[in-house]
Amino acid sequence: MISSKARMRILSVHNRYNLAGGEDTVFAAESELLRNGGHDVETFEVSNDAIIGVGGAAKAALLTAYNGNSKRAVGAAIDNFRPDVVHVHNFFPLLSPSVFDACGSRGVASVWTLHNFRMTCANGLLFRNGAPCMDCVGNAPLPAIMHACYRNSRPASAVVAGMIATHRALGTWRKKVDRFIALTEFAKRIFIEAGIPGDKIAIKANFISDPGLSDPDVPREGAIYVGRLSPEKGVATLVDAWHSVDYPLTIVGDGPERGVLEARAPDNVTFAGWQAPGEVAAAVARAQVQIIPSLWYENFPMTLVEANAAGTPVVASRHGALESIVEDGQNGALFEPGDPNDLANTVRRLFEQPEALNRMRLAARNTYKSRSAPDVNLSKLMDIYTQAIAERAK
């Protein structure tokens, strides 16, 4: 069992997505981490699978800004479990920010992990028309409606923009949340600009269980990409770069761009499709480098944590959170986002310097142990919970 501080009771709250993603993984992993640390944990979950048909979508839209039913349901869970702290991972769209009123009316401390940028950006990505966008950060979210940033729909974007504007005006984030968790220094700066008090934001990276060092006698080969095949991920940049790279590349994942990407990829690129988590981990441990070519700013991709844990250096876009996570020339390398020539040159340079790659592998593994190992994360979580309880008691 991982050592921990005084035993706590934690209610973990989460709105699941239709397609499981990193936020769902972190919610489950942190709940288990806390249990293994000797704490009492209950979970309160809803799923977007409950949104059925046009009628269900319309009802969800009406309740996005404030769902009284969810407030009562979370309140009942608090009354039954009597937690020391409520940790919210995602409330969008079914739970709504009303969950924080459920906590406040009962004098229970609340913590919110900011897994994405939804509190200031309708699509949660700070990304529009193929490039990063900061138009709504700290401002009225009217551009989100004008550009149909949420699901390419102005009506749907108006719903999300309305939620953002309403709770900014009410001061919900400033007054009703006791502590926020940002995943990187970069994200913290964005959230401060969006109006969250900096002294309420703690930084804690994502984590995974330690897979252990891979067998040094198993040869590593080529590069790997793991993730969704969608525009913001920049996989087109990666495929274009590989026309001038002779090493093999494996692309793991699926998404709307797969067909287009396969059609333009050279012969040394293999599309492996969706893989089970264990298969992905093994593939990452066999690769010489993992590439994260994102055009959006990212937050703290789980694929990067997994690469660090496996001692696999990451080659990433030089902007946003990635620039604050990957140390160029130390535990990985950076290239200009959207520039296939710079990516190709960076990869070739690394592959031509095997000793430097070996040093980066050790540094990547040490980065995991110091930032994303379970014991480090448990300790940080407990500190954040203690701060939130003290804030609520004021």
Side-chain angles (χ1 to χ4, degrees):
M1 180 181 292
I2 302 169
S3 62
S4 62
K5 298 182 180 180
R7 184 169 180 167
M8 282 193 188
R9 297 172 68 82
I10 302 109
L11 178 66
S12 292
V13 176
H14 186 51
N15 189 141
R16 289 189 173 276
Y17 296 98
N18 293 114
L19 298 175
E23 295 180 32
D24 302 307
T25 300
V26 172
F27 166 73
E30 286 194 359
S31 297
E32 188 64 19
L33 175 72
L34 290 163
R35 292 189 183 101
N36 289 341
H39 302 284
D40 297 323
V41 180
E42 281 202 2
T43 59
F44 183 95
E45 301 176 67
V46 298
S47 172
N48 285 351
D49 291 341
I51 303 174
I52 301 173
V54 175
K59 182 177 179 182
L62 290 172
L63 298 174
T64 294
Y66 202 90
N67 188 334
N69 292 331
S70 293
K71 175 185 174 182
R72 287 186 287 275
V74 172
I78 293 172
D79 293 339
N80 291 332
F81 183 54
R82 298 193 177 279
D84 298 299
V85 63
V86 174
H87 187 164
V88 178
H89 285 266
N90 177 45
F91 59 67
F92 180 83
L94 295 175
L95 291 175
S96 85
S98 69
V99 297
F100 298 114
D101 278 337
C103 300
S105 64
R106 290 161 173 80
V108 177
S110 61
V111 173
W112 178 17
T113 295
L114 298 161
H115 289 288
N116 56 50
F117 300 101
R118 185 92 61 195
M119 57 79 62
T120 192
C121 170
N123 64 30
L125 302 176
L126 299 178
F127 186 80
R128 178 171 61 82
N129 290 341
C133 173
M134 298 279 285
D135 287 355
C136 293
V137 177
N139 302 311
L142 295 177
I145 303 173
M146 181 174 64
H147 298 294
C149 290
Y150 183 68
R151 297 193 174 184
N152 294 314
S153 164
R154 283 196 175 93
S157 298
V159 169
V160 185
M163 179 199 73
I164 294 169
T166 295
H167 291 283
R168 180 180 293 152
L170 292 174
T172 299
W173 319 138
R174 290 183 291 104
K175 300 174 184 177
K176 298 181 180 181
V177 184
D178 297 302
R179 276 294 181 276
F180 299 86
I181 297 176
L183 305 182
T184 64
E185 287 283 356
F186 169 80
K188 180 176 179 177
R189 292 195 298 271
I190 296 292
F191 293 127
I192 290 173
E193 187 175 346
I196 294 178
D199 60 358
K200 283 192 171 187
I201 305 175
I203 296 174
K204 186 192 74 65
N206 287 331
F207 86 100
I208 62 169
S209 297
D210 191 346
L213 287 173
S214 57
D215 187 344
D217 295 329
V218 176
R220 289 177 177 249
E221 182 181 22
I224 190 169
Y225 167 85
V226 179
R228 181 169 166 77
L229 307 185
S230 53
E232 75 278 2
K233 292 296 187 178
V235 190
T237 300
L238 174 57
V239 167
D240 289 346
W242 234 254
H243 282 279
S244 58
V245 175
D246 293 331
Y247 303 96
L249 167 66
T250 301
I251 294 179
V252 178
D254 213 335
E257 286 200 319
R258 179 170 178 174
V260 173
L261 293 169
E262 285 186 306
R264 68 197 284 179
D267 292 339
N268 59 341
V269 177
T270 300
F271 286 79
W274 181 90
Q275 301 284 307
E279 295 173 325
V280 174
V284 170
R286 290 193 300 266
Q288 288 180 283
V289 297
Q290 177 168 300
I291 302 180
I292 304 179
S294 296
L295 298 177
W296 77 292
Y297 284 142
E298 288 285 358
N299 205 348
F300 205 119
M302 292 300 294
T303 54
L304 196 155
V305 182
E306 291 158 358
N308 283 341
T312 301
V314 169
V315 179
S317 299
R318 188 193 301 275
H319 69 171
L322 296 172
E323 188 175 11
S324 69
I325 299 169
V326 177
E327 299 174 55
D328 196 16
Q330 300 300 314
N331 60 5
L334 298 169
F335 70 94
E336 291 306 306
D339 187 337
N341 292 325
D342 193 35
L343 173 54
N345 290 336
T346 301
V347 169
R348 284 196 300 267
R349 187 169 61 249
L350 286 178
F351 277 90
E352 291 165 3
Q353 299 175 339
E355 291 185 3
L357 262 181
N358 285 334
R359 289 194 298 271
M360 287 182 182
R361 289 188 188 112
L362 293 175
R365 175 68 182 171
N366 287 333
T367 297
Y368 163 75
K369 291 192 289 186
S370 65
R371 185 171 58 197
S372 296
D375 57 346
V376 173
N377 268 257
L378 179 61
S379 178
K380 287 185 177 181
L381 270 177
M382 301 319 296
D383 287 342
I384 292 166
Y385 292 162
T386 299
Q387 293 163 9
I389 292 168
E391 180 72 22
R392 176 56 56 177
K394 287 181 180 179

